């Protein structure tokens, strides 16, 4: 019964998040459906995720490759999974082979992982995989992501040098405590402008994935098209207790 209650609570929380996201989009002069909400389900049981899926949501995100590999086969295959954590090259094949409905990897931060994903997609005969380039907008050494000065070069490599990947935009996590400041969001928007000018593509075709539970409305008002919301939907993370 507890899991049923958790699923119902998460579904209700999701509806609230979707409404808030639509209102934030409207405040920024955009269509209500111009923002994708990625429900970040890391550490959450399959039953709770299924409840949110049954409420109509289809886009979910996970941070750990093995956790996603374990969960995906137990859930409907019409879920669009986003991988949003740091991906090690040696996990790329297992992730792509084990999760056929992986829709996007949001965390490509160097050419090595881009090249690895490109090769694995080709080897598996998968349709091209959507990619976001992760940018470290806070300058913290603990954060993954390419330096803003290198984002154009990496985006160019993905678009022109990786035929089995689809360059789809940019992502940032923000500050150490997973909050962000307007400066983080402005920096990512500036990176998008530079990337689009270099690649000759309109900014509308380059997504901005920024904003999480604490700040997704502000992020949307500053141009985000993709927000990653976990604890506001699912509640606090449930990590295994250490002995």
């Amino acid at each position: 019964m507890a899991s049923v209650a958790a699923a119902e609570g998460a579904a209700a929380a999701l509806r609230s998040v979707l409404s808030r996201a639509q209102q934030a989009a409207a405040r920024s002069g955009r269509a209500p459906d111009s923002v994708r909400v990625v429900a970040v389900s890391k550490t959450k049981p399959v039953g709770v995720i299924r409840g949110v899926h049954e409420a109509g949501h289809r886009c979910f995100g996970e941070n750990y490759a093995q956790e996603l590999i374990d969960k995906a086969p137990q859930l409907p295959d019409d879920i669009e999974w986003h991988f949003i954590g740091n991906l090690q090259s040696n996990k790329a094949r297992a992730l792509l082979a084990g999760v056929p409905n992986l829709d996007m990897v949001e965390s490509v931060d160097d050419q090595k992982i881009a090249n690895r994903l490109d090769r694995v997609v080709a080897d598996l005969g998968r349709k091209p995989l959507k990619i976001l380039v992760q940018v470290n907008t806070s300058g913290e050494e603990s954060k993954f992501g390419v330096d803003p000065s290198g984002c154009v070069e990496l985006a160019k490599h993905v678009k022109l040098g990786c035929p089995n990947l689809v360059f789809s935009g940019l992502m940032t996590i923000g500050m150490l405590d997973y909050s962000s400041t307007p400066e983080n969001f402005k920096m990512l928007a500036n990176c998008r402008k530079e990337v689009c000018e270099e690649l000759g593509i309109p900014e509308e075709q380059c997504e901005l994935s920024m904003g999480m539970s604490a700040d997704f409305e502000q992020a949307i008002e500053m141009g985000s098209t993709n927000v990653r919301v976990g604890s506001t939907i699912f509640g606090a993370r449930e990590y295994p207790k250490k002995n």
Side-chain angles (χ1 to χ4, degrees):
M1 291 300 292
S3 62
V4 172
E8 290 175 351
L14 170 74
R15 286 191 288 272
S16 172
V17 167
L18 291 173
S19 175
R20 290 165 61 190
Q22 290 167 356
Q23 291 169 24
R27 286 195 297 273
S28 66
R30 290 186 287 154
D33 61 354
S34 62
V35 178
R36 180 195 299 111
V37 173
V38 181
V40 180
S41 49
K42 70 176 179 181
T43 79
K44 297 302 173 181
V46 165
V48 175
I49 301 169
R50 188 177 290 113
V52 175
H53 174 273
E54 288 172 357
H57 201 62
R58 294 294 178 267
C59 188
F60 293 82
E62 289 283 344
N63 291 63
Y64 304 111
Q66 191 58 52
E67 186 175 353
L68 179 50
I69 291 165
D70 292 343
K71 285 178 175 176
Q74 304 177 61
L75 288 159
D77 59 11
D78 65 343
I79 286 179
E80 297 174 0
W81 288 107
H82 284 218
F83 187 78
I84 61 177
N86 178 252
L87 181 60
Q88 296 172 315
S89 292
N90 62 359
K91 291 286 182 71
R93 179 173 293 276
L95 180 64
L96 269 63
V99 189
N101 49 333
L102 180 67
D103 186 60
M104 180 181 281
V105 174
E106 296 200 17
S107 48
V108 169
D109 61 359
D110 61 29
Q111 291 190 12
K112 179 184 176 184
I113 189 63
N115 293 340
R116 178 65 176 155
L117 288 168
D118 185 59
R119 285 195 301 272
V120 172
V121 172
D123 290 348
L124 295 174
R126 284 182 55 121
K127 69 177 183 180
L129 179 67
K130 288 184 273 192
I131 293 297
L132 300 184
V133 166
Q134 182 175 349
V135 183
N136 184 341
T137 57
S138 65
E140 294 169 281
E141 289 184 11
S142 61
K143 279 286 158 59
F144 294 105
V146 66
D147 187 88
S149 64
C151 72
V152 170
E153 183 181 352
L154 182 53
K156 198 172 181 179
H157 176 76
V158 171
K159 184 165 178 63
L160 303 179
C162 299
N164 300 290
L165 305 181
V166 180
F167 171 71
S168 301
L170 307 175
M171 181 270 251
T172 193
I173 287 178
M175 307 300 283
L176 189 61
D177 61 357
Y178 293 97
S179 67
S180 294
T181 65
E183 287 71 31
N184 296 138
F185 297 150
K186 284 176 189 168
M187 184 174 290
L188 198 68
N190 289 339
C191 287
R192 175 170 71 172
K193 186 176 181 185
E194 293 174 11
V195 165
C196 289
E197 285 177 358
E198 179 68 25
L199 297 179
I201 58 176
E203 290 190 19
E204 306 82 65
Q205 290 181 17
C206 184
E207 294 208 41
L208 288 182
S209 177
M210 58 188 194
M212 299 166 77
S213 283
D215 52 26
F216 71 89
E217 288 160 298
Q218 182 185 36
I220 291 168
E221 290 173 9
M222 296 186 68
S224 179
T225 61
N226 188 85
V227 292
R228 309 176 305 276
V229 182
S231 57
T232 299
I233 296 171
F234 292 103
R237 305 280 180 237
E238 298 166 3
Y239 294 103
K241 289 184 172 62
K242 294 181 180 177
N243 295 326

